[in-house]
Amino acid sequence: MVDIIIDKGSPVPQYFQLQTSLIEQIEQGVFKPNDKIPTEAEIQNMTGLARATIRQAIQNLVNMGYLERRRRLGTFVLDRVQSGKKQTIIGVLVPDIRSGYSPELARGAGDEAAQNRHSIILCNTDDLYVKANYHVEHLIETGVSGIIFVPTASPDEKNLDLIEKFKRKNIPVVLADRLIPGLDIDSVTTDNFDGAYSLTRYLIDKGHQQIGIILSMLFSTERERLAGYQKALTESRLDVDPDLVVTSEGPFSEKDYREHARSLLKQHKKMSAIFAGHDRIAFIIAAMAHKMRIDIPGEISLAGYDDLPFTNSHPVGLTTMHQPIYEIGQQSMNLILSRIRGKKSAPKKIVLQSYLVERSSVATILK
Amino acid sequence: MVDIIIDKGSPVPQYFQLQTSLIEQIEQGVFKPNDKIPTEAEIQNMTGLARATIRQAIQNLVNMGYLERRRRLGTFVLDRVQSGKKQTIIGVLVPDIRSGYSPELARGAGDEAAQNRHSIILCNTDDLYVKANYHVEHLIETGVSGIIFVPTASPDEKNLDLIEKFKRKNIPVVLADRLIPGLDIDSVTTDNFDGAYSLTRYLIDKGHQQIGIILSMLFSTERERLAGYQKALTESRLDVDPDLVVTSEGPFSEKDYREHARSLLKQHKKMSAIFAGHDRIAFIIAAMAHKMRIDIPGEISLAGYDDLPFTNSHPVGLTTMHQPIYEIGQQSMNLILSRIRGKKSAPKKIVLQSYLVERSSVATILK
DNA sequence: ATTGTCCAATTGTATAGACAATTATACAAA
DNA sequence: TTTGTATAATTGTCTATACAATTGGACAAT
C-alpha cells in the first residue's frame, strides 16, 4: 500500500524525504511503470505538507527521469529504460589501436563491457602526454564512469597528473599492463620479471651462454624484463656482457630499432641467442638478420616477448613469452566495473602469468 | 548593463521570460563565466516578481548547466564547456578490432573524431548479426549521434535490418569499406573492381598467363575483386580456368583457408601466379608454400590485397594493393559529422583509390 | 459521423511571507 | 599562530493561497 511518512523534526528537508520515499516505492515496485502516483492534493492530505513542497519533490523526480506529469491526468511512473540510470561508459586509453597489444587489450575490455551491457570509448594516446591529456579532458566532460589506462611513455609525474584529474572527479582508474612506480592503485599486469627470468632460463637450459638483449627502458614492463634477464644470468654464474645489452631511452621507432638490431647483430659471433624485448623488435631483428644473411636459428637463436596475435602466423616461428593481453583487458574491465558499483577496498593489484610458446627460432646447443 | 524586463501581460510564463532573458544575457556575454548574477532580492527589486518565481527560473538554469548557486555568495555563471551542449559520440561497428583492417579504420575514425572534439564508442561484431544487433540496441540507448558501420558477413537483409533501427531513431549511418547491394546510403569504400583489375593487369604485364585466385564471396569487396580479375583476364584474351578460382562461401577461418591454399598450391604447375583475395590469405598461402617447399617467387608468384600495417614488416615481401583504410575511417567520420551537423543532400558515395605496392613476391616471366 | 461546448480534475504559474542553513569574513580568545 | 565565535549575506526550505491552462470525456449541435 501507498505509505508516505514525513518526519517533520528531521534535519533532512521534507521535500527530500518525500522524494526519497517515492523513489524507494518506485524501485520496489509499489508504483510500477505507467502507474499513476497520488495527486498532489492526495499527497497533501496524506502528509500534511504544503503543495509547493510536494511539487518540489515531484519536480526533482521528473528531472531525474522517474516520473512524467500529464496535465489533468496526474503524474506517472516512467519505464525503467528511460528512468534514472544512464548507460555506463568506460574510457579506454591505449597507446595505439593499430599495433602491438592494444587491439587485443581493447578487445578483451570491450567484450567484457558488452557482457555487462556497457560500452567503451576508445582513445589512442600514441604514448604522448598531450594526446592523452586531450582525451582525459574530453572523457571527463563526456561523463565516463571509469577509466582503463595504459600509462604513456611520458615521465611518471605526467601520468600521475592525468590520473589525478580523474580522481578529482571521483572517476575510478585501473592501470593496465604498465605500472607507475610508487603509485598505489588498482592495476592488472603480467609478471614481466618472472616471465623474462623464465625465458632466459629456458635459453640457458638450451645451452646458450652468451645472450644478447635489446629493449626500451621507457616502460616498467621492459625494465622488469631486463631485471629478470639479469637475475637468470647471474644465478647461472654467467656474466652480463654490457656490449650485449642494447637499451633505448626513446620511444619505439622502426628506424632506431633497425639500427640497434644491426649493431647487435654485427656482434653475432659473440653470442648464440638474442632476447628481444618484445615481438616487434624480434621481427625487426629477424628481418635484419635475413638481410645480413645470418640464419635463425642456425647461426643465432631469437626469442621474443608478447606473442602478439600475428606472431603465430609469422613465418619466423618465433619462440616467445605469451602474454595474456586479452585477459588483462577483461580483468581490467571487471575491476573497474566493481569499483563503479561502489566496491570499497584497498587497491587490487592483479598479476597474470605468462607462459612460453616454443616455436622454431631457438636452437639447442650441444656442449 | 543588466536589464531584465518582464511583460506581465504576456501569455509566456514570467519565470520563463526571466529564464530566457538570463540565458540571452549569458550567451551574449553580459554575464561572463564566473560572474555573479544579481541576487534573488535584487532581481525581485528589478522585476517586481515574487522570489519563488525568480527561484524557479534560476533553478531551471542550474539544471540546464548555465548557473551554479553558492550559499551565502550568490549565483554564478558556469563555463561554456560545462553548460548546455553535451558531447557527441559516434558508434563504430567493426568486425574485429584485433585483426585485419579494423584497427586502422578505427584509428582513422578516432583521430578524426578527436580533432573535432568527439569520441568513438567501439564495438566488435565478429561479423555476426546477433552481436551487431546487441550493440545496435545498446548504442541507441546510449544516445549516439551517428554510426560508422562495416556490414557484417550476414545476409543483406540482416544488415538492412540493423540500419533500419538507426534510421527509425534518426541516427545517421555511414557504411565503411563494404556496401550492401541496392542500398542508397552514405558510404566510403575503395574501388575494389578497379584495384583487382589493375593488379591482375600488372601480373599479366609481368608475363603471367595462368593466374589462380582465392577469395571469399561473402563481401561486396571480394566479389568486386573477382570481377576485376575476370575482366583483366578476358580483356587480355586469357581463359579464366575454373580450377584456379577457389572461392569460399563461409567466413574467414584459418583452417579452411589453409585447406584452400593447399589444394590450390597442389596445382602450382598449372599456374605462375596466385592472386590472394586479401593479405591474410596471402600469408597463409605463403606459409603453406613454404611447408610444401614451393619457392616464392621462384616457382610461383604471389600477390595480395589490402597492404595491412604488418604486411610491410613481413619477410615475404608481399606485393599487394594498398588500401587507404585509415582514410576510409577519416572520411567516414567526416561524412557522419556533416550529417550530424544537419547536412541534407543525396547520399554521398565516396570511393577512394588503391595503389600497387611492389615488393618481392612477384617475379617477371621472360617469354 | 463530425464538430462544438462545457465540465471537472489536475497540473502550471504566481504571490507573500517566514524561518533555517551555510559560510566568508572579521574579530576575540587561547 | 591557531582556534573559537559572532555576524551578516545569501541561498535553502516551507506554508498558505489563488487563479490559469490543459485536456479527457460527456453531451449537444450540426
Side-chain angles (χ1 to χ4, degrees), chain B residues 11-166:
Chain B
V12 179
Q14 299 175 48
Y15 82 95
F16 196 82
Q17 291 184 44
L18 174 54
Q19 189 176 313
T20 309
S21 167
L22 287 173
I23 289 180
E24 203 172 307
Q25 300 199 45
I26 290 170
E27 306 229 302
Q28 291 189 0
V30 180
F31 300 123
K32 299 197 186 61
N34 302 315
D35 272 9
K36 184 185 168 199
I37 66 165
T39 66
E40 296 176 357
E42 281 164 357
I43 296 179
Q44 201 166 8
N45 288 334
M46 292 160 67
T47 60
L49 295 173
R51 197 176 143 225
T53 307
I54 294 163
R55 280 185 69 73
Q56 186 178 4
I58 291 181
Q59 187 57 53
N60 283 342
L61 297 187
V62 170
N63 290 339
M64 290 157 93
Y66 282 100
L67 299 177
E68 176 188 39
R69 290 178 139 137
R70 296 188 208 143
R71 277 191 152 151
R72 136 86 223 201
L73 297 180
T75 302
F76 297 81
V77 179
L78 284 175
D79 287 355
R80 220 349 92 47
V81 251
Q82 298 174 57
S83 77
K85 49 200 91 168
K86 59 168 184 180
Q87 302 295 316
T88 307
I89 303 178
I90 288 88
V92 178
L93 290 154
V94 299
D96 181 3
I97 194 63
R98 286 173 298 192
S99 63
Y101 55 75
S102 296
E104 194 77 11
L105 195 151
R107 179 72 211 235
D111 284 355
E112 202 62 23
Q115 276 201 8
N116 290 277
R117 309 213 108 239
H118 304 309
S119 302
I120 60 169
I121 288 189
L122 190 73
C123 303
N124 296 289
T125 64
D126 287 335
D127 263 329
L128 298 171
Y129 167 77
V130 278
K131 286 209 183 186
N133 187 46
Y134 177 88
H135 289 298
V136 166
E137 310 266 352
H138 197 237
L139 287 169
I140 289 173
E141 273 180 48
T142 306
V144 291
S145 310
I147 295 290
I148 295 176
F149 180 39
V150 179
T152 68
S154 315
D156 294 335
E157 58 272 24
K158 291 281 186 184
N159 285 311
L160 284 171
D161 175 50
L162 297 172
I163 293 166
E164 187 51 36
K165 288 187 179 176
F166 290 116

Side-chain angles (χ1 to χ4, degrees), chain B residues 246-266:
Chain B
V246 178
T247 61
S248 153
E249 294 296 332
F252 184 93
S253 136
E254 188 99 7
K255 194 157 151 278
D256 291 349
Y257 275 102
R258 255 202 300 271
E259 266 324 296
H260 287 140
R262 186 199 300 279
S263 64
L264 188 60
L265 281 168
K266 270 190 191 149

